[in-house]
Amino acid sequence: MPSLSAPLSQCHWIDFPSVHDVRGTLSFIEGERHIPFDIKRVYYLYDIPQLAERAGHAHRELSQVFIAISGSFDLHLDDGVEQRTIQLSRANRGYLTKPWTWRTLDNFSGNSVCVVLASHAYDESDYIRDHADFVREARQRLGLDA
């Protein structure tokens, strides 16, 4: 069996092109050019109460790019071995998450908008919704627990 790398080692920032002029700034995103997958689904979160927490799950197959189109929020990541918190606050920059990464969103500023680009259409069977189950499966997958 080939050795698997921890999913957080594959998560990273993606900077999007921006065109600036006196009328403002335009940024754009092209699937398979700026995003390392064909975009199959786009969804967005808005009107989020100040103390709300979103996500709270992991995926077995899905990759996603999170973008703060307006405002800011924190993205907490956990791959069963390592944890990381990313603050998103720029509309021309997204954060790529890979499968087998637990994600939670919180600390939303007022009027924040989070756009998510997804590699697959919605599939409930791809979700892992219990954190303890996720940690157990993720560590077993990495060969860390028997």
Side-chain angles (χ1 to χ4, degrees):
M1 177 174 161
S3 116
L4 298 172
S5 64
L8 277 184
S9 69
Q10 301 169 39
C11 297
H12 58 83
W13 288 105
I14 299 174
D15 292 316
F16 307 122
S18 294
V19 179
H20 310 276
D21 68 24
V22 296
R23 301 168 296 168
T25 304
L26 177 143
S27 285
F28 57 95
I29 301 167
E30 297 175 2
E32 296 188 68
R33 181 172 177 197
H34 304 114
I35 305 300
F37 52 77
D38 184 25
I39 300 166
K40 299 289 187 186
R41 182 166 63 117
V42 176
Y43 64 93
Y44 44 97
L45 308 169
Y46 59 98
D47 292 340
I48 305 159
Q50 185 177 10
L51 299 176
E53 183 176 287
R54 299 295 311 235
H57 60 264
H59 295 279
R60 290 179 174 88
E61 300 292 329
L62 185 75
S63 292
Q64 296 174 300
V65 175
F66 291 83
I67 307 164
I69 293 298
S70 178
S72 64
F73 56 88
D74 291 341
L75 173 61
H76 304 279
L77 303 173
D78 176 358
D79 66 7
V81 177
E82 179 186 351
Q83 295 82 37
R84 178 182 304 167
T85 297
I86 306 299
Q87 184 179 64
L88 288 99
S89 61
R90 293 176 43 201
N92 68 333
R93 193 168 209 218
Y95 199 80
L96 172 69
T97 62
K98 302 297 277 184
W100 291 97
T101 305
W102 186 271
R103 72 274 331 263
T104 306
L105 301 165
D106 68 7
N107 197 26
F108 292 93
S109 67
N111 296 319
S112 59
V113 177
C114 170
V115 170
V116 183
L117 311 176
S119 64
H120 294 74
Y122 176 81
D123 177 2
E124 179 60 32
S125 69
D126 185 51
Y127 284 73
I128 305 170
R129 296 191 182 274
D130 180 271
H131 188 258
D133 290 345
F134 163 74
V135 170
R136 186 183 68 258
E137 287 183 48
R139 292 182 63 81
Q140 286 174 349
R141 184 178 167 275
L142 292 170
L144 298 174
D145 293 334

